[in-house]
Amino acid sequence: MKGKKGLLFFICLLIAAGAAGYVTYYANSERNRGQIYNDMQSAVSHPESEQPSKPEPEVESEASASISLEPEVEPYVCPVDFDSLHKVNEDIYAWIEIPDTEVAYPVLQHDEDTYYYLNHTVEGVEGLPGSIYTDTGVAKDWSNYITVVYGHNMKNRTMFGSLKDYRDEDFLKAHPYIYVYTPEAKYTYQIFASVVYDDRLITAEYDQSSAQDRKNYLDSILNIRDMSSHILSDVPVTPDDNILTLSTCIAGAPENRYLVEAVLTDVQR
Amino acid sequence: MFKDKNPLIYLIAIVAVIVMGGGVGFFLSQINQGNTVVRNEGASSVVQNDYEPDDSEWEDTIMYDGKRYKKNENISTVLVMGVDTTVSAVSSGLIGNNGRTDFMILLLVDKKAKTIQMLELSRDTMVEVDAYNNDGKLIYSGLDHLTMQYSYGNSPASGCRLTRDKISHLLYDTPIDHYLSLTIEGMKAVVDLMGGISLTMPEDYSYIEPAYTKGATVLLDSQAVERFVRYRDTKNFGSSEVRMERHNWFLIELFRQMKNDQNKIGVDKILSTADPYLETDLDAEAIQKIMGSNLDENSKKVPGESKAGEFYDEYYVDETALQELLVDLFYLPVDE
């Protein structure tokens, strides 16, 4: 090989090496950052997969006079080890799970920077895959009328990357419940819609303390009519119900979001 | 250094270097776990897709009945409307003088195959009609016949756009690329220009005229054509569906005879005759192209059920059947 050709070849080798190194570095870093979620999922018990039956509706327990009756409502025993989770990050305040899907994650909230957990993992490491989180100031007892939970649409289906399965109406009907656990309570939500939405900031646009705004928000969901969205009209939901919105991005459509909408049907304390 | 060695040496060298580069990258990422720096120019850019891995599975595909489909990019849509201007629409105190759409047919123009599929909509389809005032402000929305939406436009063009958008939404946000509307008067003018239209009755239409028995061939002038398309036995429930069948068949005949006579009269002459009665966002060239396509005589209908309303027939869409039809018409299966 002549001198010039040899130099050219050497430069190509250098570029190839650099490219390989960068790609490997970046991909493996992302994998490392996501590993904590695998560890957490293994550590948390999955009560719903052990009890596949539908959640019991909350029933008033009998007045406990002198006769000790069997209580009709089981007292809530939190299946999630929040003490261990808090050792990793104190900002973890809930655990969200959709049975028979990949969604099983801690829910975080930063008390100052609302976007912090978009771009930081539960270990506080910057970069994808980020965390599942709510905006600063959102009620941590899930008592807001409208609660939006955010997560990235990861290609490897972690975080909210598996929500795209709800594009299939059969999948939606087969996976209707979302469970949220806190140390104090278990919240059961029933999904009534999975829609392609725009990128408006829901919490900025709709004041959840206004009945008219809540109606407008609900109407904006229920009026959606396209082949990628589904509305289950047989699930009752009104502007006075607590609505849970799971929000994630859509690859190739930066001005849209994919939302899974669910209504609170049960609280177990 | 390399002299004239086997080119395989170079290939091995490249592979080896890539592997070494990858190895170094991996090693560095393992020891650098806490320090990854990622651009963070503020919330909006973070939420953008700079970091969302490209998931081409989503783009332009839908899931239906467990299978994946992709939009057929060869199809463009034209909404053809027949406007009845002789009746002024009265609804909840608002009077629209531009008329109502008596028939609506969506043409699915396949640019590649050069065919046109027709999708008919019943004028009595019950939809959320948006009522506007003369300043274009939305007053209210309520369940009403699809034919009424046109009447809330403050001009023929506005009526066309309102109807187009309403139908697009009815069809699960299927984009409607163009519209063309012609009044009854315009249709009559075209028929006169063509010297009448010859029809061989496919069904027994003798209830309109005794001569219109099945199989009879009749030459209709413009007056007869008007009677033929407008005739509606309001005493008979479901008569608007029968009328729709007549419209559909008549449109095929008109289109075919316009195509056949094209050399004699020419699209330009037809268009200039129709012009005072025509409202469209298509140019003459685009119309020529459509005229050059083959019309699929098996038209489809938006599926649903007729029910007797208080005064008029009401047509309620069957959503499940409609979705299936839209997948069939607008989507192609994606091979997995």
Side-chain angles (χ1 to χ4, degrees):
Chain A
M1 231 180 148
K2 298 287 174 155
K4 260 202 186 139
K5 269 195 193 164
L7 185 64
L8 194 65
F9 183 66
F10 184 68
I11 289 170
C12 286
L13 283 188
L14 228 53
I15 294 170
Y22 178 77
V23 166
T24 319
Y25 177 87
Y26 187 75
N28 196 48
S29 298
E30 191 177 287
R31 190 181 68 84
N32 286 343
R33 285 195 298 276
Q35 184 58 35
I36 180 67
Y37 294 115
N38 295 341
D39 297 340
M40 282 183 170
Q41 284 164 2
S42 313
V44 168
S45 78
H46 291 268
E48 297 318 313
S49 47
E50 290 152 22
Q51 303 159 23
S53 58
K54 272 176 74 168
E56 314 257 359
E58 205 170 70
V59 174
E60 290 288 307
S61 51
E62 301 281 353
S64 56
S66 47
I67 310 160
S68 60
L69 296 162
E70 209 178 317
E72 292 186 10
V73 180
E74 285 174 31
Y76 173 61
V77 174
C78 180
V80 178
D81 183 0
F82 278 100
D83 289 333
S84 296
L85 291 178
H86 285 147
K87 289 200 180 80
V88 178
N89 193 327
E90 299 237 323
D91 287 341
I92 298 174
Y93 72 96
W95 182 270
I96 188 166
E97 203 162 297
I98 305 180
D100 298 321
T101 74
E102 287 121 303
V103 179
Y105 290 101
V107 182
L108 289 86
Q109 186 182 123
H110 197 269
D111 51 23
E112 275 168 21
D113 179 3
T114 205
Y115 291 106
Y116 182 81
Y117 284 113
L118 181 65
N119 203 34
H120 288 81
T121 69
V122 68
E123 288 175 303
V125 178
E126 198 173 355
L128 287 177
S131 303
I132 304 298
Y133 74 99
T134 53
D135 288 325
T136 305
V138 167
K140 291 185 179 178
D141 61 357
W142 302 83
S143 59
N144 289 151
Y145 280 113
I146 301 171
T147 306
V148 186
V149 179
Y150 302 93
H152 275 295
N153 170 22
M154 297 302 292
K155 190 173 182 181
N156 62 3
R157 296 175 58 86
T158 58
M159 314 318 284
F160 280 168
S162 65
L163 288 187
K164 59 171 69 75
D165 290 345
Y166 281 97
R167 281 185 292 153
D168 186 343
E169 195 167 359
D170 293 335
F171 183 90
L172 166 56
K173 288 180 178 161
H175 301 83
Y177 296 107
I178 305 172
Y179 299 100
V180 174
Y181 302 88
T182 65
E184 293 81 32
K186 170 186 167 185
Y187 303 88
T188 301
Y189 296 89
Q190 186 173 5
I191 299 173
F192 64 89
S194 57
V195 300
V196 174
Y197 206 67
D198 59 28
D199 60 355
R200 78 186 81 169
L201 216 50
I202 294 165
T203 44
E205 182 123 348
Y206 301 101
D207 175 6
Q208 53 115 18
S209 63
S210 149
Q212 185 59 51
D213 273 19
R214 294 199 300 271
K215 183 180 187 304
N216 291 344
Y217 177 57
L218 193 56
D219 285 348
S220 77
I221 302 291
L222 298 178
N223 287 336
I224 290 173
R225 207 180 149 87
D226 67 63
M227 296 300 283
S228 297
S229 303
H230 303 292
I231 315 286
L232 296 182
S233 47
D234 55 355
V235 177
V237 56
T238 72
D240 293 325
D241 290 319
N242 278 21
I243 293 171
L244 173 66
T245 300
L246 306 187
S247 170
T248 190
C249 287
I250 298 173
E255 283 167 18
N256 291 106
R257 298 288 178 271
Y258 190 61
L259 307 182
V260 173
E261 300 282 333
V263 57
L264 181 70
T265 57
D266 187 57
V267 182
Q268 190 188 3
R269 298 186 206 279
Chain B
M1 185 166 55
F2 290 98
K3 292 280 159 60
D4 282 305
K5 288 281 201 282
N6 196 333
L8 192 61
I9 297 268
Y10 302 140
L11 187 64
I12 292 169
I14 291 170
V15 170
V17 159
I18 287 174
V19 167
M20 282 193 297
V24 168
F26 182 83
F27 178 68
L28 283 176
S29 66
Q30 289 296 98
I31 63 173
N32 231 9
Q33 286 195 39
N35 294 333
T36 325
V37 172
V38 155
R39 278 185 293 126
N40 189 0
E41 293 147 47
S44 56
S45 70
V46 169
V47 178
Q48 269 166 31
N49 271 17
D50 296 347
Y51 307 121
E52 301 295 50
D54 192 16
D55 181 7
S56 56
E57 291 177 0
W58 179 273
E59 286 180 61
D60 281 331
T61 67
I62 59 162
M63 290 293 290
Y64 184 77
D65 206 20
K67 297 189 213 59
R68 188 164 288 147
Y69 295 86
K70 195 176 161 70
K71 206 88 193 280
N72 184 344
E73 301 295 342
N74 293 320
I75 293 179
S76 63
T77 48
V78 179
L79 178 64
V80 175
M81 293 166 277
V83 175
D84 185 349
T85 53
T86 59
V87 186
S88 58
V90 180
S91 179
S92 299
L94 285 175
I95 299 174
N97 287 324
N98 288 314
R100 296 176 297 195
T101 48
D102 235 20
F103 72 82
M104 290 152 285
I105 295 181
L106 187 67
L107 304 184
L108 279 69
V109 183
D110 190 325
K111 293 175 277 195
K112 202 170 156 195
K114 288 200 172 32
T115 55
I116 298 177
Q117 168 74 254
M118 294 192 295
L119 177 61
E120 307 165 46
L121 292 108
S122 164
R123 72 193 291 287
D124 297 323
T125 307
M126 300 305 285
V127 294
E128 282 289 303
V129 171
D130 301 318
Y132 295 86
N133 66 9
N134 280 333
D135 298 325
K137 183 166 176 262
L138 181 68
I139 305 296
Y140 81 98
S141 294
L143 199 67
D144 207 338
H145 299 76
L146 178 59
T147 185
M148 298 296 295
Q149 185 61 75
Y150 182 90
S151 66
Y152 291 108
N154 52 18
S155 69
S158 146
C160 284
R161 287 192 296 267
L162 290 178
T163 307
R164 174 198 64 191
D165 293 344
K166 188 55 58 183
I167 291 175
S168 169
H169 192 61
L170 176 71
L171 302 180
Y172 287 83
D173 283 359
T174 297
I176 294 179
D177 302 308
H178 294 287
Y179 62 84
L180 186 149
S181 80
L182 190 66
T183 63
I184 306 265
E185 295 304 313
M187 186 185 59
K188 284 162 71 178
V190 169
V191 168
D192 279 338
L193 175 71
M194 287 165 59
I197 178 167
S198 173
L199 301 177
T200 303
M201 301 295 159
E203 301 292 335
D204 178 26
Y205 293 134
S206 57
Y207 53 85
I208 304 172
E209 285 295 330
Y212 299 170
T213 54
K214 184 172 176 172
T217 301
V218 190
L219 183 69
L220 271 65
D221 64 10
S222 56
Q223 298 279 15
V225 161
E226 181 178 2
R227 183 168 163 74
F228 185 80
V229 296
R230 286 183 93 187
Y231 187 88
R232 193 181 181 201
D233 186 359
T234 49
K235 292 188 289 297
N236 276 338
F237 161 70
S239 64
S240 59
E241 276 190 70
V242 172
R243 194 155 151 268
M244 237 170 84
E245 278 165 28
R246 280 207 321 273
H247 281 161
N248 155 57
W249 172 75
F250 173 76
L251 197 66
I252 298 171
E253 281 307 307
L254 185 62
F255 184 77
R256 191 194 299 155
Q257 290 185 36
M258 276 167 77
K259 268 184 62 132
N260 292 341
D261 288 350
Q262 208 172 339
N263 296 329
K264 268 196 275 178
I265 301 165
V267 173
D268 289 337
K269 189 101 179 46
I270 293 176
L271 283 181
S272 62
T273 302
D275 190 66
Y277 314 98
L278 191 71
E279 191 66 45
T280 182
D281 60 356
L282 285 163
D283 59 29
E285 192 193 325
I287 295 177
Q288 279 266 30
K289 264 210 178 116
I290 290 171
M291 298 286 277
S293 302
N294 292 319
L295 196 63
D296 183 342
E297 291 184 21
N298 293 318
S299 69
K300 308 278 185 193
K301 219 167 80 165
V302 170
E305 207 188 321
S306 263
K307 293 192 170 111
E310 205 180 327
F311 301 112
Y312 304 110
D313 296 343
E314 296 178 353
Y315 190 77
Y316 290 90
V317 169
D318 178 341
E319 302 290 353
T320 309
L322 174 58
Q323 285 183 50
E324 194 175 332
L325 180 63
L326 291 174
V327 171
D328 189 41
L329 290 176
F330 288 98
Y331 290 86
L332 298 168
V334 172
D335 298 321
E336 310 243 45

